[in-house]
Amino acid sequence: MRAKAAMTAGLAAFSLSLGLAACDRGADGAPVAEAPAEAWVGKDVVLYLPDPVMKARVEVSALSPYVNAATAAAEGAVRAAPVQPGASGMLLLMVKPGGRAKAWVVTGDPAPGAETVAAVVKAVEAVPAPAVREGPILVGVGFEAWGGGAPPAGASPPIPRDWYAHFSKDGGRLDDAFMASVWPD
């Protein structure tokens, strides 16, 4: 009786595994390829400075279209790049008075290829910056590329690894002096 029950259970498991394997096959019996991961999925937008400082320095009506255009430029550069291992991270946008803007890409490991990161930065920096006054602003756009990967290590929200060298040994603040040290005039 035990042998018959074991055999029935074994056949049921075998039938189930065949049924599941059939789910991975098309009508003609050929394996179905998995859908490719999205090249770019935008996530959250992060203001790196306090809200009152941001509101004093830039009009929301100018900032929002800029962030959207910069994000679209980054997405276009990623979509044009060869598929790579998944990456998750933050696109940082710093804008200074005088229409000057600079971009950084911060990801976890593995990072996208250097050529891809350079293409993203170049595309984003070609987007006209909004007018800012009284000092710089810093905004981040979270993203996942090619299905996402490990998040950036360190601070949350993330900053480029080389920025840590600009903090004092006792820490520091992300303020105008700090931003001037990571992107001097």
Side-chain angles (χ1 to χ4, degrees), residues 1-10:
M1 191 68 149
R2 278 189 183 168
K4 185 176 181 183
M7 188 171 168
T8 302

Side-chain angles (χ1 to χ4, degrees), residues 107-179:
T107 66
D109 291 325
E115 303 84 20
T116 301
V117 171
V120 167
V121 168
K122 181 178 179 181
V124 170
E125 290 180 351
V127 173
V132 299
R133 55 195 171 269
E134 299 179 26
I137 62 166
L138 184 61
V139 178
V141 178
F143 68 89
E144 289 182 352
W146 304 289
S156 181
I159 60 173
R161 288 181 185 107
D162 61 334
W163 286 17
Y164 288 100
H166 296 273
F167 285 121
S168 71
K169 291 179 183 178
D170 299 329
R173 295 176 26 153
L174 204 147
D175 57 13
D176 291 356
F178 178 81
M179 289 189 284

Side-chain angles (χ1 to χ4, degrees), residues 1 23 26 42 44 51 95 102 127 185:
M1 191 68 149
C23 291
D44 53 343
D51 192 53
V95 181
K102 188 162 175 58
V127 173
D185 287 325

Side-chain angles (χ1 to χ4, degrees), residues 35-144:
E38 275 294 313
W40 175 277
V41 175
K43 297 291 183 181
D44 53 343
V45 174
V46 177
L47 304 178
Y48 279 72
L49 298 174
D51 192 53
V53 173
M54 292 292 291
K55 285 180 178 175
R57 293 185 177 181
V58 65
E59 298 299 323
V60 172
S61 61
L63 181 60
S64 183
Y66 169 69
V67 170
N68 289 338
T71 301
E75 179 179 356
V78 169
R79 288 186 185 281
V83 174
Q84 298 170 42
S88 294
M90 188 73 71
L91 169 66
L92 293 174
L93 309 166
M94 187 183 296
V95 181
K96 290 184 174 183
R100 298 172 294 150
K102 188 162 175 58
W104 292 265
V105 175
V106 182
T107 66
D109 291 325
E115 303 84 20
T116 301
V117 171
V120 167
V121 168
K122 181 178 179 181
V124 170
E125 290 180 351
V127 173
V132 299
R133 55 195 171 269
E134 299 179 26
I137 62 166
L138 184 61
V139 178
V141 178
F143 68 89
E144 289 182 352

